[in-house]
Amino acid sequence: MSDLIPKGQGAQRNVINRFDRYTFEPEDYELDKIKTQVTEVFPKTIINVLKSPDLSMDYSMNPYQGCEHGCSYCFARPTHEFWGYSAGVDFERKLMVKKNAPELLEKTFQKKSYIPKPIMLSGNTDCYQPIERQFEITRKLLQVCLDYRHPVSIITKNALVLRDLDILEKMVEKNLISVSMSIPTLNEDLRRVMEPRTSTAKNKLKAIEVLSEKNIPVNVMIAPVIPALTSDESLSIMKSVSEAGARSCGYTLVRLNDTVEPVFVQWLEAHFPDRKDKVLNLIRSMRGGNLGEKRFVQRYQGEGNIAEMIHKTFEIGKKKFFNNRERAILTTEHFTGNKTQQLRLF
């Protein structure tokens, strides 16, 4: 194992897959030289029904599995283990693409039994991660939604969303689109190591400005809030994104479930060894002595003084910077199940 900190990655190494009895990693595994591997998969459906009582969306769809952005804290990392991979480096370098996603989406829209509700794109891994430049699956999905006049809410960390302005501008005319930009920090030195392949903070703010100028509603997710690492930035981020034109702002507290924990701990050891114990102890103070939390509602609320201070900070910030602004509510009234405006008969 190389002692060098790998560049352009959040994970320092692979971590053991919870579902594998054996794991093997060569001694000369040069993490900073691993190239992204792409595998095409063939799902039978593309829309996921969300049943979590603490989520506001009913549907989500993910054109990619795994994410090249490399966020060390990503809650989606453990999902890679169901594919036989590691939540560590594999999650960032062994990606799966669903090229048939647009076709599946159109077939779903055409079903008489389908009930239209806003779809979150993506909800798990980022739909505008770097390989989207090559495959353009997200763009094709948006085109299908435009053709069928179906509402979509995008969440991303990448300014690549601006590439699809031509589609988004047409969708906003019928109130079919909103964009959430994820900005956990404006500190570029921190962003570069914490979420190394996302857009810079400057480019994220620019994306908010451009989208807002086009009347495309933008929400900002300050997520996750990490005590002793990013928590001191919350008010300054809210001020900056408000000035850029964002209509609303949300946040989540960091939680290190399952194999996210070893990835994040190793990342702290590599980049912030002097702050590691403080950060982890403060997270435990918000999570009842643990680093993770899976209980509905509680996973977002947390507990203890630190969590309460974070909640109070956002309460103050929203009143100061987002007073009289409301998050967009998308409509399904234009959806008919076909590309024309002809209404369904049954």
Side-chain angles (χ1 to χ4, degrees):
M1 174 72 69
S2 172
D3 292 330
L4 297 175
I5 297 176
K7 297 179 180 179
Q9 294 176 190
Q12 305 303 296
R13 60 183 68 92
N14 270 330
V15 294
I16 296 175
N17 187 318
R18 293 168 293 162
F19 308 112
D20 285 350
R21 289 184 60 188
Y22 306 104
T23 186
F24 172 74
E25 192 168 311
E27 289 294 328
D28 59 351
Y29 196 42
E30 297 183 88
L31 295 176
D32 57 339
K33 295 182 180 180
I34 297 176
K35 295 184 178 180
T36 301
Q37 301 174 28
V38 175
T39 301
E40 184 177 359
V41 293
F42 302 90
K44 295 182 179 180
T45 60
I46 189 59
I47 291 182
N48 307 304
V49 178
L50 303 178
K51 298 181 179 180
S52 302
D54 53 3
L55 293 177
S56 59
M57 302 296 288
D58 294 289
Y59 298 144
S60 71
M61 56 182 174
N62 297 274
Y64 305 104
Q65 295 293 140
C67 186
E68 210 173 1
H69 277 158
C71 304
S72 54
Y73 50 76
C74 181
F75 66 85
R77 285 182 177 273
T79 63
H80 225 47
E81 297 175 296
F82 293 103
W83 296 86
Y85 296 125
S86 169
V89 177
D90 284 354
F91 178 77
E92 305 172 33
R93 298 303 191 188
K94 294 184 178 181
L95 309 179
M96 286 158 280
V97 302
K98 305 172 184 178
K99 293 182 181 178
N100 65 337
E103 177 186 353
L104 292 173
L105 183 62
E106 185 164 16
K107 288 181 178 179
T108 299
F109 286 169
Q110 292 172 349
K111 292 179 180 179
K112 292 183 179 180
S113 60
Y114 176 70
I115 301 174
K117 296 177 182 179
I119 300 174
M120 180 189 297
L121 217 176
S122 294
N124 192 34
T125 55
D126 202 307
C127 60
Y128 278 109
Q129 60 179 286
I131 59 170
E132 166 62 16
R133 294 184 184 276
Q134 174 185 352
F135 293 101
E136 296 191 351
I137 300 175
T138 297
R139 179 176 175 83
K140 294 171 184 175
L141 289 169
L142 289 173
Q143 184 62 56
V144 173
C145 290
L146 173 60
D147 290 343
Y148 284 81
R149 302 167 304 283
H150 193 288
V152 178
S153 179
I154 297 170
I155 181 166
T156 184
K157 292 174 174 287
N158 204 314
L160 180 58
V161 64
L162 294 181
R163 179 202 63 188
D164 298 331
L165 268 178
D166 57 326
I167 298 177
L168 303 183
E169 286 183 89
K170 294 176 182 177
M171 295 186 75
V172 79
E173 292 175 0
K174 295 184 180 296
N175 190 24
L176 299 175
I177 191 69
S178 66
V179 176
S180 286
M181 185 65 68
S182 177
I183 305 181
T185 179
L186 292 177
N187 181 328
E188 189 56 23
D189 291 334
L190 176 57
R191 183 213 61 82
R192 193 174 294 114
V193 295
M194 188 168 71
E195 42 175 39
R197 294 194 173 191
T198 65
S199 295
T200 64
K202 179 180 179 180
N203 284 342
K204 290 179 184 179
L205 290 174
K206 182 61 179 178
I208 294 172
E209 290 180 4
V210 173
L211 291 167
S212 298
E213 287 172 357
K214 301 295 185 179
N215 295 317
I216 298 167
V218 180
N219 174 63
V220 169
M221 284 300 298
I222 303 177
V225 180
I226 306 174
L229 201 60
T230 68
S231 55
D232 63 328
E233 292 189 67
S234 299
L235 288 174
S236 61
I237 294 175
M238 282 190 275
K239 181 177 186 295
S240 296
V241 299
S242 174
E243 292 174 348
R247 287 177 46 169
S248 57
C249 180
Y251 67 103
T252 61
L253 307 180
V254 65
R255 52 191 172 96
L256 308 175
N257 289 346
D258 301 320
T259 37
V260 181
E261 178 181 328
V263 172
F264 186 78
V265 171
Q266 291 168 9
W267 176 82
L268 277 176
E269 290 172 345
H271 294 283
F272 298 96
D274 58 328
R275 225 183 299 185
K276 170 192 165 187
D277 290 338
K278 180 178 181 179
V279 172
L280 295 178
N281 286 334
L282 289 175
I283 294 174
R284 290 188 182 98
S285 76
M286 300 191 303
R287 300 299 185 188
N290 302 311
L291 291 174
E293 177 59 79
K294 296 182 179 180
R295 292 175 294 172
F296 293 129
V297 181
Q298 190 62 31
R299 59 182 176 169
Y300 295 119
Q301 291 182 347
E303 60 183 67
N305 292 335
I306 298 300
E308 186 59 35
M309 288 173 59
I310 293 173
H311 294 321
K312 190 65 177 178
T313 297
F314 276 89
E315 182 182 333
I316 293 171
K318 287 183 178 181
K319 287 182 180 179
K320 183 174 180 62
F321 302 116
F322 293 93
N323 195 29
N324 296 323
R325 300 191 195 182
E326 296 181 356
R327 188 166 182 171
I329 299 176
L330 306 182
T331 183
T332 60
E333 66 178 354
H334 305 293
F335 180 84
T336 62
N338 54 65
K339 293 184 179 181
T340 70
Q341 289 285 68
Q342 180 180 349
L343 297 177
R344 283 177 168 168
L345 298 178
F346 303 98

